[in-house]
Amino acid sequence: RVCVETLLPDGVLFCIDCLAHKYDVAVDDVLRDEKLVMHVQSISHWAPASIGPYSQSIKVGDVLYCAGQIALVPCTMQLVSGGVRTEAVVSLRHVERVLQAMSQKTALHHVITASCYVTDSKHIPIARSVWQKKLRECKKVEDSETNHEVTAVCGLLAVVVIPHLPRDAAIEWHVTAVVDDPLQRKHFAMKMLSEGFQIECEFVESSSASCASISVRLSLISPSTSHLDLDGPLHDLVAMFRQAVEKLSEDCRASPLSFRAFFKEGVFDAEALQTGLREYLEKYLGKKTPALILVPVVDLPGKEVIHITCWLS
């Protein structure tokens, strides 16, 4: 789980979205997608204990769902001192250790989708630089072990600014990883212009073709945010999303499950955004329409006003 404070609509005090997993039928008393859970509450020196009734990680089949990590010192459970860069490094190291504890050879380049929550817009470039540095380090290790010259396809990262995090942390990482071969993943990117906006879309499909992640970003071309007509851009955004779904390999049976839209507060009317996205998702995806989750945020990188992350499984 990841728990953050955000700008919910008037009267809404709490909002939760969940992903459920249904076991496959057992064959010869063996579950094909067995669920494994790591729940550590004792004091340790490798990663923080759980602050409450949740698991650090859950593994279903070849997918690792990791709980959000902040920069707590494991042996004291106090927030590390040293500023946001130190917090970014320490909390990301916690993510690595949780991944490795669940599956020995799993590292950050096995992440297929990641969300980074920060509490100040100035922290966005720091989060990105720490993420890229750690991925480069993983790639060097991979290259030295395999002598591959092929570039590993790493996970898609969304960095968003929210008002507050647990324990007054400045940054929190929340990732989903796949025990696969990042060198054999499928990756595709595309972009287009749409009535004063730019739309960029990326997707990553695991090498096992068991799951995928799609990212769609809507950015303002013009600095003016007055009288924005959302209808055209939302139509094009969902149409591009459908293109990404259609470009998945023939072996991939993954369906879009959660369509999470981080949107910049004050730029759009939340109800109009929700209505528009739902209308076009149902129009273009029909029975495969994913759950729509709207998350208002304080800020997004650059001129982004909407950043959509979608998990397919």
Side-chain angles (χ1 to χ4, degrees), residues 127-301:
R128 281 176 154 177
S129 68
V130 169
W131 174 256
Q132 292 298 332
K133 182 180 178 183
K134 291 298 293 183
L135 287 180
R136 284 195 298 271
E137 290 174 2
C138 286
K139 184 178 179 299
K140 285 179 183 176
V141 172
E142 181 81 9
D143 287 348
S144 65
E145 289 179 351
T146 63
N147 295 318
H148 275 295
E149 293 184 2
V150 184
T151 302
V153 175
C154 299
L156 305 176
L157 174 66
V159 184
V160 303
V161 183
I162 42 88
H164 194 243
L165 286 168
R167 302 288 180 93
D168 293 324
I171 187 168
E172 180 165 10
W173 302 93
H174 186 220
V175 311
T176 301
V178 185
V179 185
D180 70 343
D181 182 359
L183 296 169
Q184 300 298 322
R185 287 177 175 176
K186 186 178 179 183
H187 173 261
F188 189 83
M190 50 190 165
K191 64 172 62 177
M192 69 174 292
L193 299 180
S194 174
E195 300 177 25
F197 293 91
Q198 177 174 273
I199 304 171
E200 298 170 277
C201 179
E202 281 185 275
F203 81 76
V204 173
E205 180 187 319
S206 69
S207 63
S208 58
S210 63
C211 56
S213 175
I214 296 176
S215 167
V216 189
R217 302 183 298 278
L218 183 71
S219 302
L220 274 172
I221 295 173
S222 161
S224 172
T225 58
S226 60
H227 307 296
L228 290 175
D229 181 10
L230 260 185
D231 189 61
L234 287 187
H235 169 276
D236 293 342
L237 183 152
V238 176
M240 185 175 279
F241 174 79
R242 184 184 65 171
Q243 276 186 269
V245 173
E246 291 172 347
K247 285 183 180 293
L248 295 173
S249 69
E250 292 180 2
D251 299 327
C252 188
R253 296 180 182 178
S255 296
L257 300 181
S258 59
F259 189 92
R260 182 173 285 105
F262 297 107
F263 68 99
K264 199 169 174 180
E265 180 74 7
V267 177
F268 308 115
D269 175 71
E271 287 188 17
L273 182 60
Q274 186 169 28
T275 301
L277 283 173
R278 181 175 286 118
E279 177 185 330
Y280 287 122
L281 282 169
E282 290 174 354
K283 176 182 176 181
Y284 281 119
L285 281 91
K287 292 181 179 180
K288 285 194 172 183
T289 298
L292 174 58
I293 304 149
L294 290 186
V295 185
V297 297
V298 176
D299 202 6
L300 290 165

Side-chain angles (χ1 to χ4, degrees), residues 1-4 15-17 54 66-70 115 117 165-166 172-175 260:
R1 70 100 180 97
V2 64
C3 180
V4 302
C15 184
I16 185 170
D17 67 84
Y54 66 91
C66 293
Q69 291 289 336
I70 57 175
S115 297
Y117 299 90
L165 286 168
E172 180 165 10
W173 302 93
H174 186 220
V175 311
R260 182 173 285 105

Side-chain angles (χ1 to χ4, degrees), residues 34-59:
E34 185 182 6
K35 177 180 174 183
L36 302 174
V37 177
M38 184 172 72
H39 184 80
V40 180
Q41 285 194 300
S42 59
I43 298 298
S44 70
H45 293 277
W46 63 276
S50 301
I51 318 172
Y54 66 91
S55 303
Q56 283 93 338
S57 183
I58 292 175
K59 183 174 183 286

